[in-house]
Structures are given as C-alpha cells and as structure tokens.
Amino acid sequence: MHFELTEEQRQVKFSVREFAASEIAPHVLEWDEEQHFPIELMPKLAELGLLGVIFPEEYGGAGMGYVEYATIIEELSRVDGSVGISVAAHNSLCSNHIYKYGTEEQRKKYLVPLASGEHLGAWGLTEPSAGSDASGTKSNAVHSDGGWIVNGSKNFITHAIHGDTCVAMAVTDKAKRSKGISAFIFEKGMKGFSPSKKENKLGLRASETASVVFEDCFVPDNQLLGEEGHGFVNAMEVLDGGRISIAALAVGIAQGAFESAVRYSQERQQFGKPISEFQAIQFKLADMATQIDAARLLMYRAAWLKDEGKKTTKESSMAKLYASEISVKVCEEAIQIHGGYGYTKDYPPEKYWRDSKLCTIGEGTSEIQRIIIAREVLRQV
C-alpha cells in the first residue's frame, strides 16, 4: 500500500475541495439553522460524478475506487458533514446494494439514474424496535399474485422524503429469523409507500432524515433485490463498504474542526502573544493532528483493501470505530481551544462537534463495531 495519493487522486481531492469551498461553505450556517436539505446542490454533485463514484461508467458512474471515494467524502465533510453523509448514503447504501446484488435489468432500471444523479437513493434497515439488533426487523412481506405485500416502517432514513429509489428490508419468512429477511426496491409514488416523520436532529441538520411507512404496499416480484432470504446478509456486506464512508465522514469533520482550531490559536492573543505559543495549546494540537492522521490511515487501509477485492469487515469496523470516536474528541478540543467563542454559533467548532456525534452511532454504534472487531479477531486466532 502506498501512503501517497496518485496525481489523479490528488486532482480529485482538490477539485472536490474547490467545489466545497465555492458551492457549500457559503451556505453551511444557513442550511444548518434552517434544517434545509440542499436538493438544489444534487445536480452539481452529479455533474462532478459524486453521486456515482464507485460504479462503472457503463452504469452511469464515475468508475473510481474506494480510495477516491473516501477522499471525496472527507473533503465534503471537512466543509459540511451533512453533504458528506448524503453523498455517502446515496453511494454506499442504496446504489451499492443494487449494484452488488441486483439483476442486470435492475441495474439498468435503477442504478443508472442513481449513479448519474438523475435519481436520489435511500436505504432502509433500521426500525423503531430494530436498531443495533437489525435482525429483529418487524416489517413483513407476504407473497401474493406476482408480488409482495409489504407492511411496516423504517426510521432514521437518509433521503426518506426526497429519495426517488429506496432499498428496504422486510421479513419474508419469520421462522428463519435473520435468514428470512429479504430486500426490496421501492419507487417514490408507489401506493402504500410514503415518507413520515422528519427528525429534528442535534447535528447533520442539512441532511434529510425521516421515517418511511409501508401500508399494504404491493411490490412486484421483479423488485425483489437479491435472493429471497438473503436481504439481511447482503445488507451486512453492504455496510462493510458503508463504514469506510462513515470513517471518511468522521475524518473530514475532525479535519475541519482541527483547521479551525489552528487558525484561531494563531489569531487569538492572550497575555501578549498568540495562544498557539503556549505549550498547553500546542499539546492539544499535536494530539489532534496525530489522532486524525491515525484515523485517516485506518480509513485508507480499509479503502485500499476494498479496491483490492478483499474482505474488509474487521478493517472497516476498525476505521469507523476509531475515526468516529476521535472525531468527537478532536471537535471537543477545538471548542476548548476557542474558549467561550467555541460555544457559540459564530465559530465553526460547535457545529463540527454536533455533527461528529452521529459517526459513533450511524451504520452500527461503537459498541457494535467492538463486537464485530472482537469476533473477527477471534476467528483469526
């Protein structure tokens, strides 16, 4: 594994950085305050290929790998984690589930408009009573006359309202428990499929999060995604890639907070000199920089392994666990360096801190990541 990005990868990195600075940064505070989901930004993201990063050009994608993908999510999240997580959920979850397990017909019908940015994707696994225990899914699907009748609900779904295509799991054989859960493709406007409560969140407030409800929703047989009963297993495999993007989200948020703290420490004068000259502040900055670098290396290792076609269950969880937890710490230290100003909305750290917390919860809590890592380590003994 090389520790430097190629020239092409650097070009991707800096083009996204320039885009984020010009198209996202001026609106961050407004979007956060108003909980505005910037749907108007999506065509611009699509134009850069950011809504189909990891998919082949034949399906409308940009044909890039996970290293580029992680770099892109980091750069977006360095400016606004809300945009970062929207791009991540669209690519890693909904679109990737269809790409990995869909038929050729499903790829052409659903993946092409998703990867090209014509459509926006949502992915539904979590339910009110099935969070960390995702195998406890209650939504059910009963086969009937060439299709399935689905009832139930999903919550904490990114793009639940604006999403054009939604991949969601439902129980098709209760007796088989997790092996009786299947995945289905839902289309916006289908009878019996509708968005519900929009969440009023602590952070990532410009990313749309809401519930979806299935009420006697008829789904044709050709919208069963993957094999019947394989939905949960496939979802866990999809999350291996998704957790790399959450690690990138966390690294980007931490990097943004860190840069803000460095700038402030060089500008803020106390006792006749910049606070960056005090060892107490220098030690904080040193720890923050080291933690971010360590998280980034874990992120890139997992991304590189993914590009090599290798299993990344352990490495993805390690990257996600460490990056998310240090992101919260780095953002908190950024607030501390800013002092009282860090506690106000006039300075960036308080938003970075609010945004960072989701990284320790979404796509598997820190506790679940530790269970996964321990299980994989013990398997290898």
Side-chain angles (χ1 to χ4, degrees), residues 11-12 20 30 46 61 133 136 149 159 181 224 233 289 291 319 327 338 355:
Q11 287 177 2
V12 170
E30 173 193 347
D133 179 15
I149 297 174
H159 306 150
I181 297 173
L224 173 70
V233 174
Q291 289 165 346
S327 187
H338 280 72
D355 288 350

Side-chain angles (χ1 to χ4, degrees), residues 104 164 262 278:
E104 191 61 21
D164 300 285
V262 170
F278 291 98

Side-chain angles (χ1 to χ4, degrees), residues 152-217:
S153 65
K154 301 289 178 182
N155 65 340
F156 303 134
I157 308 305
T158 304
H159 306 150
I161 298 170
H162 281 87
D164 300 285
T165 304
C166 177
V167 172
M169 273 46 73
V171 176
T172 49
D173 189 338
K174 188 175 181 180
K176 294 182 179 179
R177 299 177 61 82
S178 65
K179 293 181 180 178
I181 297 173
S182 302
F184 297 90
I185 302 173
F186 297 85
E187 300 173 18
K188 188 175 185 177
M190 288 177 70
K191 185 179 179 182
F193 170 58
S194 60
S196 186
K197 178 192 174 187
K198 182 178 183 292
E199 302 296 343
N200 184 6
K201 300 178 295 182
L202 170 73
L204 300 173
R205 289 164 63 83
S207 172
E208 179 180 273
T209 306
S211 301
V212 294
V213 177
F214 312 104
E215 297 176 302
D216 291 331
C217 180

Side-chain angles (χ1 to χ4, degrees), residues 125-373:
L125 178 63
T126 300
E127 295 185 359
S129 61
S132 291
D133 179 15
S135 64
T137 295
K138 301 291 187 220
S139 295
N140 67 89
V142 178
H143 198 261
S144 174
D145 298 327
W148 301 81
I149 297 174
V150 182
N151 284 282
S153 65
K154 301 289 178 182
N155 65 340
F156 303 134
I157 308 305
T158 304
H159 306 150
I161 298 170
H162 281 87
D164 300 285
T165 304
C166 177
V167 172
M169 273 46 73
V171 176
T172 49
D173 189 338
K174 188 175 181 180
K176 294 182 179 179
R177 299 177 61 82
S178 65
K179 293 181 180 178
I181 297 173
S182 302
F184 297 90
I185 302 173
F186 297 85
E187 300 173 18
K188 188 175 185 177
M190 288 177 70
K191 185 179 179 182
F193 170 58
S194 60
S196 186
K197 178 192 174 187
K198 182 178 183 292
E199 302 296 343
N200 184 6
K201 300 178 295 182
L202 170 73
L204 300 173
R205 289 164 63 83
S207 172
E208 179 180 273
T209 306
S211 301
V212 294
V213 177
F214 312 104
E215 297 176 302
D216 291 331
C217 180
F218 179 78
V219 185
D221 279 332
N222 61 8
Q223 287 174 223
L224 173 70
L225 179 57
E227 294 182 42
E228 182 183 340
H230 286 219
F232 178 77
V233 174
N234 292 348
M236 295 302 102
E237 292 169 352
V238 166
L239 285 172
D240 281 350
R243 284 166 182 154
I244 296 172
S245 65
I246 297 297
L249 173 74
V251 170
I253 291 170
Q255 183 67 34
F258 172 70
E259 290 173 4
S260 173
V262 170
R263 285 194 301 271
Y264 184 82
S265 72
Q266 293 171 326
E267 295 166 359
R268 176 66 168 170
Q269 298 267 337
Q270 290 290 279
F271 305 102
K273 57 184 178 181
I275 63 172
S276 61
E277 294 185 18
F278 291 98
Q279 192 177 68
I281 300 300
Q282 291 175 352
F283 279 10
K284 287 183 184 297
L285 294 174
D287 286 344
M288 293 158 77
T290 302
Q291 289 165 346
I292 293 170
D293 264 12
R296 186 179 288 112
L297 287 170
L298 284 171
M299 173 192 83
Y300 276 134
R301 180 183 68 165
W304 177 79
L305 287 170
K306 197 75 173 170
D307 285 338
E308 292 293 304
K310 298 181 179 179
K311 182 182 177 183
T312 65
T313 302
K314 181 183 74 173
E315 291 79 9
S316 294
S317 286
M318 284 181 166
K320 196 267 189 191
L321 171 65
Y322 185 75
S324 64
E325 296 206 337
I326 70 96
S327 187
V328 174
K329 292 178 182 177
V330 166
C331 293
E332 186 170 323
E333 286 288 53
I335 291 175
Q336 195 71 17
I337 289 171
H338 280 72
Y341 293 112
Y343 203 66
T344 71
K345 291 184 179 293
D346 295 327
Y347 287 80
E350 69 87 28
K351 180 184 182 298
Y352 282 121
W353 183 60
R354 286 188 287 110
D355 288 350
S356 69
K357 187 57 192 170
L358 185 278
C359 299
T360 69
I361 300 169
E363 297 197 31
T365 63
S366 290
E367 291 75 18
I368 291 295
Q369 302 315 308
R370 288 184 168 92
I371 291 171
I372 293 169
I373 294 164

